[in-house]
Amino acid sequence: MARKKNSSAEVTGPRIRAAAQELFARHGYAAVSMRQIAAEVGVQAGALYLYTPDKQSLLFDMMRDHLAELLDTHAALPECADPMAALEQFTRFHIRFHNARSDSVFIAYMELRNLERANFTRIEAMRRSYEARLQEVLERGRAAGVFDVPDTKLAAFALIAMLTGVNTWFRETGRLSLSHVEDIYWDMVRKSVGG
Amino acid sequence: MARKKNSSAEVTGPRIRAAAQELFARHGYAAVSMRQIAAEVGVQAGALYLYTPDKQSLLFDMMRDHLAELLDTHAALPECADPMAALEQFTRFHIRFHNARSDSVFIAYMELRNLERANFTRIEAMRRSYEARLQEVLERGRAAGVFDVPDTKLAAFALIAMLTGVNTWFRETGRLSLSHVEDIYWDMVRKSVGG
DNA sequence: GTCTATACCGCGATAGAC
DNA sequence: GTCTATCGCGGTATAGAC
């Protein structure tokens, strides 16, 4: 146990990241100023530079952390020997994980253009790695004769786009619960791969 | 026949809109300056205001024109009495239309946040109107007992997200032709609605 | 660790000459 | 119809006091 801290040090950094995330999601990276972020946190603009080298790092770090958590959380799921069970697990996991982090997801998809080249390359690699995991499930199912999929790469793209789309319209207060939505989407996913 | 024009009048306006569209698609509305647009066209920044009242109108007009063309072109397609034929027609139309206008599509999805409220409302109404047309096809198919779809509204959202996703990865120079891609997606769409 | 003050730049938009 | 010049503002980022 080290000495008691005055709170500000450990608290301000996360608060800045949270404010930046919310503002980037709502207005877009390019439209948000460092002054706005500072005002949200209750500090002066200059003070932000004690916690981040620049605005670009704020964006890159939140995208990297989001994708790292996505990959880690997915990797921690129980193994499914049955391809059909694995596909259902992926479908439900994807919807739930993304719905619970709509700001991060929105930023990760919309702000790719605003990453500097080197940062973009790293983020893209993480995204492709996630897509590859779905593709592997489809590949296994096809090899086992359970799925009828002409092109597993395209099918993975198509399914991920479909599932991520839930984020654009789903609201907790709407007529359907998330688990009901999961059921409906899983029904479509299952049928679409000929299962 | 009116008097011969000096070319600049009729030509500069469209060139400005084209340059704005390309730059907005590439860098995002908020990140593009009027000076950049002017430089692309080869005029001074001040000259843009002879052709548009402001930057916001540049964005709104291109989104409105894009969606108007989408609705008009779709409405001009031949009627399909058979719901299955109608769904195939929608699928192939959507992929082809959107692939041919990737800049406009990108802007119409990514820059909604940058529309002023009144403009946003008008654009949203047009987008919903397009979604409703797919929903009607699904409704007809379900009524005829051809489709097995638990919720036609969700299915319409899911299918449009899936089809629009083609734009994020398809390249003319890739391993698959667009008509091959259409075939693969139509196969998934058809199966997903239980046809 | 946060502040004020500020450097330096580029923004959208307008005015008025030509 | 396009130009130059400019207004007023706000951008990112830094310097130096406390």
Side-chain angles (χ1 to χ4, degrees):
Chain A
M1 240 151 356
R3 66 187 170 83
K4 187 89 167 292
K5 295 291 175 53
N6 227 347
S7 94
S8 195
E10 287 92 358
V11 166
T12 307
R15 287 188 63 212
I16 288 171
R17 287 187 284 278
Q21 179 160 301
E22 202 228 315
L23 288 168
F24 289 171
R26 175 135 55 221
H27 306 293
Y29 173 78
V32 171
S33 71
M34 295 297 266
R35 289 202 231 279
Q36 277 176 271
I37 297 169
E40 196 74 20
V41 176
V43 299
Q44 296 297 315
L48 297 181
Y49 293 87
L50 297 167
Y51 302 93
T52 180
D54 50 29
K55 191 184 175 191
Q56 169 77 197
S57 299
L58 233 31
L59 177 63
F60 172 69
D61 289 353
M62 75 178 62
M63 288 172 103
R64 184 203 51 206
D65 292 351
H66 167 71
L67 286 167
E69 195 199 359
L70 173 67
L71 291 170
D72 288 353
T73 311
H74 178 259
L77 292 177
E79 289 283 324
C80 288
D82 175 20
M84 187 66 75
L87 184 59
E88 178 170 2
Q89 184 183 61
F90 186 96
T91 299
R92 294 183 184 276
F93 164 77
H94 186 96
I95 291 176
R96 257 178 290 127
F97 186 94
H98 284 69
N99 178 70
R101 293 161 185 81
S102 58
D103 280 358
S104 304
V105 171
F106 201 62
I107 292 168
Y109 277 79
M110 307 279 274
E111 305 296 354
L112 287 167
R113 305 178 279 205
N114 290 306
L115 289 174
E116 290 161 10
R117 176 174 287 277
N119 291 339
F120 176 80
T121 304
R122 290 181 56 189
I123 296 295
E124 267 296 285
M126 295 175 87
R127 204 176 52 78
R128 275 200 304 275
S129 156
Y130 181 66
E131 288 164 356
R133 296 189 190 177
L134 173 56
Q135 198 184 336
E136 280 158 25
V137 171
L138 297 173
E139 206 69 67
R140 272 204 291 135
R142 183 165 70 173
V146 191
F147 298 154
D148 176 23
V149 178
D151 189 307
T152 56
K153 194 176 186 64
L154 258 67
F157 287 159
L159 294 180
I160 286 179
M162 186 172 109
L163 296 176
T164 306
V166 172
N167 266 32
T168 65
W169 58 264
F170 181 78
R171 298 292 170 266
E172 292 285 350
T173 55
R175 70 184 159 94
L176 297 172
S177 71
L178 188 61
S179 73
H180 193 175
V181 171
E182 271 179 43
D183 293 343
I184 291 173
Y185 272 73
W186 164 235
D187 180 61
M188 289 186 78
V189 168
R190 183 179 48 75
K191 287 185 198 153
S192 73
V193 298
Chain B
M1 241 152 354
R3 66 188 169 81
K4 187 86 165 295
K5 296 289 175 55
N6 226 351
S7 92
S8 195
E10 286 92 357
V11 166
T12 308
R15 286 187 64 212
I16 288 171
R17 287 187 284 277
Q21 178 158 302
E22 202 227 316
L23 288 168
F24 289 170
R26 175 135 55 221
H27 306 292
Y29 173 77
V32 171
S33 70
M34 295 298 267
R35 285 169 166 82
Q36 275 176 274
I37 297 168
E40 196 75 20
V41 176
V43 300
Q44 297 297 316
L48 297 182
Y49 292 87
L50 297 168
Y51 301 95
T52 180
D54 51 28
K55 192 185 175 191
Q56 170 77 196
S57 299
L58 234 30
L59 177 63
F60 173 69
D61 289 353
M62 75 178 62
M63 288 172 101
R64 184 203 52 204
D65 292 351
H66 167 70
L67 285 168
E69 195 199 359
L70 173 66
L71 291 170
D72 288 353
T73 311
H74 177 259
L77 292 177
E79 289 282 326
C80 289
D82 175 21
M84 187 66 75
L87 184 59
E88 177 169 4
Q89 184 184 62
F90 186 96
T91 300
R92 294 183 184 276
F93 164 77
H94 186 97
I95 292 176
R96 257 178 287 126
F97 186 93
H98 284 69
N99 178 71
R101 292 160 185 83
S102 58
D103 280 358
S104 303
V105 171
F106 201 63
I107 292 168
Y109 277 79
M110 308 277 276
E111 304 296 354
L112 287 168
R113 303 180 282 202
N114 290 306
L115 289 174
E116 289 160 11
R117 175 173 288 277
N119 290 339
F120 176 80
T121 304
R122 290 181 55 190
I123 296 296
E124 269 296 284
M126 295 175 87
R127 203 176 53 77
R128 277 201 303 274
S129 157
Y130 180 66
E131 289 164 356
R133 296 189 190 176
L134 173 56
Q135 198 184 336
E136 281 158 25
V137 170
L138 296 174
E139 207 67 68
R140 271 203 291 136
R142 182 165 71 172
V146 191
F147 298 154
D148 176 24
V149 178
D151 189 307
T152 55
K153 194 176 186 64
L154 258 66
F157 286 159
L159 294 180
I160 286 179
M162 184 172 112
L163 297 176
T164 306
V166 171
N167 266 34
T168 65
W169 58 264
F170 181 78
R171 297 294 171 264
E172 291 287 350
T173 54
R175 72 185 158 95
L176 297 172
S177 70
L178 187 61
S179 73
H180 193 174
V181 171
E182 271 178 44
D183 293 343
I184 291 173
Y185 272 72
W186 164 235
D187 179 61
M188 290 185 77
V189 168
R190 182 179 49 75
K191 287 186 202 154
S192 73
V193 297

